Amino acid sequence: MMIILKPSWISHNGMPIFSIDIHPDGTRLATGGQGRDSGLVMLWNTAAVLDENSENDENVPKMLCQVDSHLASVNCVRWSHSGKFLASGGDDKIIMVWTLSKYPNSGNIVFGTKNINIETWKCMFTLRSHSGDILDLAWSPHDSYLASCSVDNTIIIWDAKKFPSVHKVLSGHTGLVKGVSWDPIGKYISSQSDDKTLRIWRTSDWKTDTIVTTPFKDCGGNTSVLRHSWSPDGQYLVSAHAMNNNGPVAKVIERDGWTYEKDYVGHRKAVNCVRFSNSIMKRKVGKKSHHMCLCAVGSRDTNVSVWQTGLKRPVVVLESLFQGPVLDLSWSTNGLNLYACSYDGTIAILIFDPKDIGKALSNQDKNIIFEKMYGISPSERHNNNLLIENPAILKMNGTQQSEIQEVDPKKEIKQAPPNVIKPLPPILKKQIETRTSDGRRRITPIFIPPTPDNAEEINVLPFSSSSECKSQVVVERVNNIIEPNISNSCSNFSQESQTPTIIDSTIPRSTPTSVLQISPSRGESKKRSEPVALISNLFSTKKIKFNNLEDNEISTDARPNFGQTTMQKRKFTISNLCTDRIVVENDKCNTINGPISKMKVYSNNLIAWEKVFSSSVVKYCTNKTLSLIVVALSDCTVHVIGSKNGSLICPPYVLSSVVTSISSNNHYLLCMTQNSLSVWNIYKQECVLHEEKLNTLVCSNKNKPVNVQKCMLTENGTSIITLTTGKSYMFSISAKCWMIIGDSGDAIYSNSSQKNKHNGLNKTSGKYPLSVMQTYSSRYKSNLDFKDTEGLSELCSKSFLEQQMSAALALESDKEYKYWLMAYVSFLIEREDNDRLRHLCQDLLGVSHGYSSHKKVETIIGISKHELLKDVLGIIAGSRSTQRLFTEFHDQLQEMSELND
């Protein structure tokens, strides 16, 4: 049951109410809007709002305070998280920060009215820096900063500890900025503008991280505000006005990769405002309890819809709740009360029953969720900048990473006692103790969850999906000897072709192998025991997802995990989805002519097909693009099999030695042996690279022991290798040679002030091959290890940026090329190198004279040079020293565009 309240006595004398916000303790309600001759901020007693007896009691005040210090309409009011301050901003271009006076002068009558101020709120700070109307405000987590956005196209970050000091001005939007919102983790701040973009900025350096444009390209500028919102777990950002199939929607943007494939639909006109509740609700669906987030959407169609993750349909849709557009929304701390205001000058309160939407988790439970997602709680994040950003790192048995610190895999990780409060390590799926051939013990540690007294298991809850698979842990002790081998990092590059993680408790993670490795002797192979593998599911609970409850669709961070070049006498299981798995039983049956190995493929817990091989399976990967399974055997053959029926697509490939790493991406297949690399186009059945010897890489590193740290295959069939020396290579088919694309141990890299720009890219996304490879072995040394008396650091930085651009160009990685190009432009602007900037802009502009309409605009790896120039000019426009340069090329570009049209 839900209750709707519309108290008529909450009013701005019939004038529009543009903003509403509930105090964190729930006792006061702030509204901002238009007064008769000025802007108006009013505070209301929520006891009179929520309780009918209090409302009718003359001794209970309804209005607490009214201030009319703003000279024009108040567009936004926001309480700080502590509740100590109230910020208000409006058309008078100023922000006022209010606090309750210690010396109240209660009982005074508001000038020109019959209203009596019960409380006295005084303006502590007046913030003046915007040159236009202020449309939205947002306090950062822990109230360290206050962000404001304006029609002057900027976002200003105010230092809340040093009001009225300006910490940073964020420029980049080319239209009115109508909404600003903080990531609850504190790593990002987002802004949405009339320029049809939503920008995500990093708080580490206040630079643009991502610009989302596609969902907004068909939007009109018909909204007064664009108030978007982050989910309380930080995993999703829901935009205001967006379009899909010519219909207005609120776009759901995922933190992981900034993808946007889901929408909130149903409103007939543009969405003005979105507001997530700060609470994570625990609700029982069926027989299981799930964690859900509440999101309210307000539109110009006067309707309000409330959504809950895990459900296909909205919790409630209130049609014609107002007679004007919905402009702002606010949730109470307990997540049960939703406040909304409208242009018609009224407000509405929606009171939900916990039976319908669940009960809010405690702060302690929320901290546990944050620790599992990011490895650190919000309180610890406030005092510690280290953050495990990508939740996929914590999903599987991967390596724990942080934003600015890389864990040395050679160091033993000691397990912290359960009673020590610290960032939680990733949850490993198995703990294994093994011995290598040199006699050393290797122990894979396992995370011990908190005791049931202070924690509970977090269930995966997709937006519209629920899985019955529970996360399990495999614990196994293995006594067999493990030979060193190429690490399990040769994974598929794109998510669509990634290899499922292999659950094999008998196979520990191996160390990198020498490129020229000697195979183990038969005697050593016979000494190995026959451990029994335990089968478990791959699903850990990391975040509340946006999917369907009925769809058992769970993404996995899929990587091959074979630690041996041979897998004789072993049984192992490969899990892909909840209902699909593959069981391989090597040496299932011994015959006169040799052993036979067996593979079973399950679908929905039923055997889909079976296949036998005359040798042991040593490596395995899948290709979802072509619906293939590729299996490498110990007899040096590679079998390409259809994943639907198990049919052999072509005769097996025969290599000169056993495969040590295998990967498939798009139409391509990569196989690495102990001393060579081969690549095929399996769609066309053509060889791209035939057993290219790795001796070249060994010879180029004569003074250092060489190990393969990671190998990769890009979507266009380019093979990349990173060695333990820190060098990354790509093989150029056209040049028929290896090209070096990165060297973390290089002197230029080590002494470049720009190397930390790596942190701005998603280090696990398939869209960034250069970043993935370089991050895997980068060492991030100190900027300078010598006395820079001749400006060598600046030259090193410039050379590093140019190297990154050329490497991205060779890899045909358009997103990375654009990223490093913009970093290069920013670097030149900081150094005021206008000559190089001019040369760069001229190259992107092309020939301006005699430009004809039929002439095509040149491109760089598929990106229009003119589009790149627009982005470059957007950065140049932010510097006063380059304003003339901006004007010159902006005018030329505009003229050429008009001629082309």
Side-chain angles (χ1 to χ4, degrees), residues 524-775:
E524 291 177 340
S525 178
K526 290 180 180 180
K527 293 179 183 179
R528 296 171 183 163
S529 60
E530 269 186 77
V532 180
L534 299 180
I535 302 175
S536 85
N537 294 321
L538 277 183
F539 310 106
S540 57
T541 57
K542 297 300 176 286
K543 67 179 181 181
I544 299 170
K545 291 189 177 181
F546 285 75
N547 286 313
N548 293 331
L549 272 172
E550 288 77 5
D551 301 333
N552 290 323
E553 183 177 341
I554 298 196
S555 61
T556 60
D557 184 15
R559 299 183 179 183
N561 195 23
F562 287 103
Q564 292 289 9
T565 57
T566 58
M567 291 287 183
Q568 297 179 3
K569 298 182 181 180
R570 289 190 176 179
K571 176 181 178 180
F572 54 91
T573 299
I574 307 163
S575 294
N576 187 7
L577 297 177
C578 182
T579 57
D580 298 331
R581 71 181 188 278
I582 300 173
V583 176
V584 175
E585 296 176 281
N586 283 328
D587 299 348
K588 174 68 174 177
C589 176
N590 291 320
T591 68
I592 297 176
N593 296 324
I596 295 177
S597 300
K598 187 176 183 180
M599 173 185 284
K600 296 180 182 179
V601 176
Y602 289 82
S603 179
N604 296 319
N605 292 323
L606 299 175
I607 297 178
W609 52 267
E610 299 176 295
K611 198 168 188 66
V612 292
F613 304 99
S614 58
S615 296
S616 301
V617 176
V618 295
K619 290 291 176 182
Y620 162 97
C621 72
T622 61
N623 185 311
K624 292 185 178 180
T625 304
L626 302 176
S627 298
L628 298 175
I629 298 175
V630 184
V631 179
L633 304 181
S634 59
D635 62 358
C636 306
T637 61
V638 178
H639 297 242
V640 182
I641 305 169
S643 61
K644 295 182 179 180
N645 54 16
S647 61
L648 194 64
I649 302 301
C650 62
Y653 298 157
V654 180
L655 301 178
S656 60
S657 57
V658 179
V659 171
T660 56
S661 292
I662 189 170
S663 176
S664 186
N665 193 356
N666 200 6
H667 291 172
Y668 298 93
L669 170 66
L670 176 149
C671 290
M672 177 183 285
T673 65
Q674 294 171 353
N675 54 13
S676 68
L677 185 71
S678 299
V679 178
W680 294 273
N681 185 322
I682 50 180
Y683 179 74
K684 296 181 179 180
Q685 292 296 312
E686 295 177 352
C687 179
V688 176
L689 184 64
H690 176 65
E691 294 199 346
E692 176 65 29
K693 300 299 181 183
L694 302 179
N695 298 357
T696 304
L697 306 184
V698 177
C699 295
S700 63
N701 297 274
K702 293 181 179 179
N703 299 327
K704 298 179 181 179
V706 179
N707 301 311
V708 175
Q709 189 77 354
K710 185 178 179 68
C711 65
M712 175 182 294
L713 185 64
T714 65
E715 289 184 351
N716 60 5
T718 301
S719 51
I720 313 174
I721 287 180
T722 293
L723 305 181
T724 51
T725 57
K727 294 184 178 181
S728 296
Y729 300 87
M730 62 165 282
F731 191 87
S732 172
I733 301 299
S734 57
K736 296 183 179 180
C737 70
W738 290 99
M739 290 183 173
I740 187 167
I741 58 173
D743 186 359
S744 62
D746 182 64
I748 292 178
Y749 175 90
S750 302
N751 296 287
S752 166
S753 62
Q754 299 293 308
K755 62 185 179 182
N756 288 330
K757 291 283 185 181
H758 279 293
N759 293 336
L761 291 172
N762 188 331
K763 302 177 182 63
T764 61
S765 172
K767 300 176 182 178
Y768 307 103
L770 181 63
S771 177
V772 170
M773 297 303 292
Q774 293 180 341
T775 302

Side-chain angles (χ1 to χ4, degrees), residues 44 121-122 136 234 236 259 314 338-339 473 487 560 603 614 702 710 716 748 798 827 830 876:
W44 309 90
W121 288 75
K122 64 178 181 179
D136 202 14
Y236 300 96
T259 57
L338 173 64
Y339 297 80
V473 176
S487 67
S603 179
S614 58
K702 293 181 179 179
K710 185 178 179 68
N716 60 5
I748 292 178
K798 177 176 171 294
F827 175 82
E830 291 175 3
I876 291 177

Side-chain angles (χ1 to χ4, degrees), residues 76 89 93 202 206-207 528 618 632 653 680 838 845 851:
C76 187
K93 308 175 186 178
R202 297 184 300 271
W206 303 108
K207 302 293 184 181
R528 296 171 183 163
V618 295
Y653 298 157
W680 294 273
R838 183 180 298 277
L845 181 67
Y851 193 87

Side-chain angles (χ1 to χ4, degrees), residues 10 40 110 119 175 263 289 301 440 448 484 490 511 586 745 769 845:
I10 295 184
L40 202 59
V110 180
E119 297 178 344
D263 305 309
S289 294
D301 61 7
R440 296 182 179 180
I448 299 178
C490 183
T511 57
N586 283 328
L845 181 67

